[in-house]
Amino acid sequence: MRRSLTALAALLLSASAQAGSVSFADNPIVYFAVTDRFANGNPGNDHSYGRAADPQGGDVGSFHGGDIAGLTQQLKAGYFKELGVNALWITAPYEQIHGWVVGGKQQFQHYAYHGYWALDYTTMDANMGTREELREMIDIAHAQGIRVLFDVVLNHPGYADLRTLSEYKVPVLWPGHETATLRDYHSYIDYNNFDFAQWWGPDWVRAGLPGYPDGGKDDFTMQLAYLPDFRTESSKAVGLPPILQRKSDTRAVALPAATVRTYLVHWLADWVREFGVDGFRADTVKHVEPASWLALRAAATDALKDWKTRHPQQKIDDAPFWMTGEAWGHGPERSSWHDAGFDSMINFDFQNRAGGDWKSIDGVYRQYATLLGKRIGNAPRYDILSYISSHDTSLFPRDRLKHGLSALLLAPGGVQLFYGDESARQPGAAPVGDEQQATRSDMNWSSLDAATLAHARKLGQFRLRHPALARGEHRFIDDKPYAFARAMDGDAVIAVPEAQGALELKVHGVFADGTLLRDAYTNHTYTVSNGAVAVNAAGTVLLEKAAP
């Protein structure tokens, strides 16, 4: 049974904490930037390792130049601060395979610009920048109260591409491989050659190559998209993989009695220990056994605590390490993954429901608020991370972005903005067989949609001030126009996401008579009288207590 507005008022009166004391984990507002497609701060690193443009394939899958320095430029310009985000999720900045593989149906050269095809977890990818640039970016973000999250992969390294195999002298290539095209690429690799042992080695990965075990048939041991699968479940002690043994600039060193899991966890936690990375967004969660995620969470938690002890002036606060995970198809319900080291799981449910009318969206809000407010036994409170656009699915319809942004930024639980949703970035080319490439077009700095951006900024800043939106009790107020209240721990808001003109809003039980309210959308103030306020709406109403 839903509580009455009077019950909401009781929640406020019995508050035990003020909204300002709510932790990041209670109200994550995450901005996801595909670094290579966001902003080019240093054109000098655009063609590292001989990476080149792909005019024949329309540059769909090549590196476009975005880097850590570009993120820093936008941090300095206040771009993220103005959006109200409190975390910046970036693609993995560690070194990726150097060359390209065949993309789509032999349509484009596909490089690892997205950070999902690791070569060396211990070094910076030169296209992303330097360690010094990364340190500067994180320090500036922290100074603005913005956490930095790395996208990480524990399931697989990158493909065996021609350029990397050649550079590190894995003797499995046929003469003339330098001239390979999209159509004859694989004919230059001797897939029957046992010298493939000089690549990652059979103790490290399943790869279905000579001397290597084949991928399994379950989620944990399968080869996802034909990628080599890390043997993270193995208890066998291993040395450094052969390819890193011959890589002169690696920072990887042999660890005593270490398993594959030990190495990967150690390498990823080192970024936290050195730079103060605040959290991870973990890729392909359901393809790695829970024990590995728990090990990563424990190591990263210790590493961040250590970094904060050594950098008291650079830390935001003493909040622990935070992790969100991507398990394909995961919805808003609590799952066993929340017990595997994850504070939050990415919510695939919301994107397809955010485009509905407000009556249906209110049902979504009510469902999420109810689920997130439940306690199951002694299990800790859990969270989700909802989105309206994703690099793995599709972009929200560009002609309805204001609606989508309102639906998202007023939703219960954590939320994730995908770069360009706030600015009406248009999709790119969608090659057959890999249509998701369309979601990763370059950020539209020269054509920002001013009205959409202003809308996103007002919503984002309002959400940042009000954790009740993420964690509060949800209450339907009216349907014409749609209005709702949310309240928790001394924090209360009323929102009318699509409204125009003169309105009388019922606020009884949420705000007392005589209370001075501010509409954060227009900056107009109103006084509550007879349990209502008369407002003049300009597209959206966002009511909060006015500052004294």
Side-chain angles (χ1 to χ4, degrees):
M1 180 182 296
R2 289 184 290 172
R3 298 186 188 181
S4 65
L5 286 173
T6 302
L8 280 176
L11 279 176
L12 297 177
L13 292 171
S14 64
S16 60
Q18 294 300 310
S21 66
V22 175
S23 70
F24 163 76
D26 285 317
N27 188 23
I29 309 168
V30 180
Y31 188 98
F32 173 29
V34 176
T35 308
D36 175 68
R37 305 301 171 88
F38 189 67
N40 191 349
N42 179 11
N45 62 28
D46 289 0
H47 302 295
S48 302
Y49 315 111
R51 292 166 177 161
D54 174 28
Q56 184 178 354
D59 266 340
V60 170
S62 59
F63 279 83
H64 288 191
D67 48 28
I68 297 297
L71 292 168
T72 301
Q73 286 179 354
Q74 293 306 317
L75 278 163
K76 289 179 176 178
Y79 187 78
F80 304 108
K81 190 76 172 175
E82 287 186 83
L83 278 171
V85 300
N86 55 14
L88 177 59
W89 156 16
I90 65 171
T91 46
Y94 45 76
E95 189 172 352
Q96 304 293 302
I97 62 172
H98 292 177
W100 54 273
V101 295
V102 178
K105 295 188 175 181
Q106 297 184 332
Q107 293 165 289
F108 64 95
Q109 296 177 2
H110 195 169
Y111 286 89
Y113 69 88
H114 38 60
Y116 292 130
W117 299 340
L119 169 63
D120 188 343
Y121 285 83
T122 72
T123 53
M124 282 286 290
D125 192 279
N127 266 80
M128 295 297 100
T130 65
R131 298 178 88 86
E132 291 72 26
E133 287 171 329
L134 178 64
R135 196 182 321 277
E136 179 189 19
M137 186 271 284
I138 293 176
D139 285 348
I140 291 172
H142 283 172
Q144 297 180 17
I146 297 172
R147 286 165 166 78
V148 175
L149 316 175
F150 275 15
D151 209 335
V152 299
V153 182
L154 207 59
N155 179 61
H156 56 263
Y159 293 106
D161 70 288
L162 287 172
R163 181 181 293 275
T164 304
L165 291 171
S166 174
E167 286 180 354
Y168 295 102
K169 303 187 186 313
V170 181
V172 296
L173 302 180
W174 296 112
H177 60 83
E178 300 87 353
T179 64
T181 68
L182 289 166
R183 295 194 178 279
D184 61 14
Y185 187 97
H186 293 289
S187 68
Y188 286 100
I189 302 175
D190 182 0
Y191 288 109
N192 295 312
N193 195 327
F194 278 85
D195 282 334
F196 257 111
Q198 298 178 46
W199 182 46
W200 278 90
D203 288 339
W204 271 82
V205 298
R206 302 174 185 85
L209 294 166
Y212 286 75
D214 290 332
K217 295 183 179 180
D218 60 82
D219 280 341
F220 295 156
T221 62
M222 68 180 288
Q223 284 184 244
L224 186 66
Y226 304 103
L227 285 155
D229 183 68
F230 278 132
R231 301 181 68 179
T232 47
E233 82 295 340
S234 173
S235 60
K236 181 178 181 179
V238 296
L240 287 179
I243 195 166
L244 294 187
Q245 291 179 31
R246 64 184 69 190
K247 188 173 182 291
S248 61
D249 63 343
T250 188
R251 298 166 70 96
V253 296
L255 302 174
T259 64
V260 172
R261 178 192 296 167
T262 305
Y263 275 103
L264 292 171
V265 166
H266 177 79
W267 291 339
L268 289 170
D270 268 357
W271 293 97
V272 181
R273 193 176 305 277
E274 180 175 351
F275 296 97
V277 177
D278 301 278
F280 290 154
R281 178 271 187 185
D283 187 64
T284 56
V285 162
K286 71 178 181 180
H287 295 292
V288 179
E289 64 285 345
S292 288
W293 294 122
L294 286 165
L296 179 63
R297 172 59 181 263
T301 297
D302 288 345
L304 184 58
K305 184 177 180 181
D306 176 57
W307 181 87
K308 288 184 177 185
T309 298
R310 292 181 290 107
H311 298 86
Q313 302 304 314
Q314 284 78 40
K315 68 181 181 180
I316 297 175
D317 52 29
D318 290 320
F321 194 78
W322 185 85
M323 277 178 37
T324 189
E326 177 261 324
W328 190 264
H330 198 291
E333 297 82 8
R334 193 181 194 283
S335 76
S336 60
W337 291 116
H338 287 97
D339 298 318
F342 294 99
D343 302 272
S344 161
M345 292 298 292
I346 291 175
N347 175 26
F348 286 76
D349 174 73
F350 189 72
Q351 182 178 29
N352 291 330
R353 302 176 75 182
D357 60 26
W358 288 106
K359 181 179 180 180
S360 65
I361 291 173
D362 185 76
V364 177
Y365 287 173
R366 187 168 61 253
Q367 176 195 8
Y368 289 6
T370 301
L371 286 169
L372 294 169
K374 281 182 179 177
R375 292 292 184 126
I376 302 175
N378 294 321
R381 190 166 63 179
Y382 80 100
D383 203 7
I384 54 177
L385 196 66
S386 299
Y387 63 87
I388 57 169
S389 295
S390 162
H391 65 313
D392 281 334
T393 58
S394 60
L395 297 182
F396 195 83
R398 302 337 247 172
D399 59 346
R400 302 192 67 219
L401 270 173
K402 281 191 176 182
H403 174 90
L405 288 164
S406 294
L408 176 67
L409 292 172
L410 296 173
V415 295
Q416 171 236 300
L417 271 173
F418 189 42
Y419 78 107
D421 272 357
E422 77 283 4
S423 61
R425 171 178 62 90
Q426 297 301 303
V432 176
D434 195 354
E435 290 81 0
Q436 283 71 37
Q437 294 297 331
T439 68
R440 309 167 189 177
S441 55
D442 289 344
M443 182 63 179
N444 57 320
W445 293 113
S446 62
S447 58
L448 301 178
D449 185 301
T452 304
L453 183 57
H455 182 70
R457 286 172 172 170
K458 290 174 182 178
L459 286 163
Q461 291 173 19
F462 183 70
R463 185 180 185 90
L464 183 63
R465 290 195 299 276
H466 296 291
L469 282 166
R471 283 293 179 181
E473 178 116 9
H474 179 79
R475 174 67 181 185
F476 171 83
I477 293 178
D478 207 342
D479 62 351
K480 292 183 180 179
Y482 170 63
F484 71 85
R486 226 168 275 156
M488 63 166 280
D489 296 344
D491 183 32
V493 296
I494 290 177
V496 192
E498 288 178 1
Q500 290 285 355
L503 301 171
E504 183 172 79
L505 295 174
K506 302 170 186 176
V507 301
H508 175 69
V510 184
F511 299 114
D513 281 359
T515 303
L516 185 64
L517 301 181
R518 172 179 176 263
D519 177 3
Y521 204 81
T522 61
N523 206 29
H524 293 160
T525 56
Y526 306 97
T527 301
V528 180
S529 176
N530 296 320
V533 289
V535 304
N536 187 23
T540 298
V541 176
L542 303 172
L543 290 180
E544 61 188 358
K545 281 187 178 180

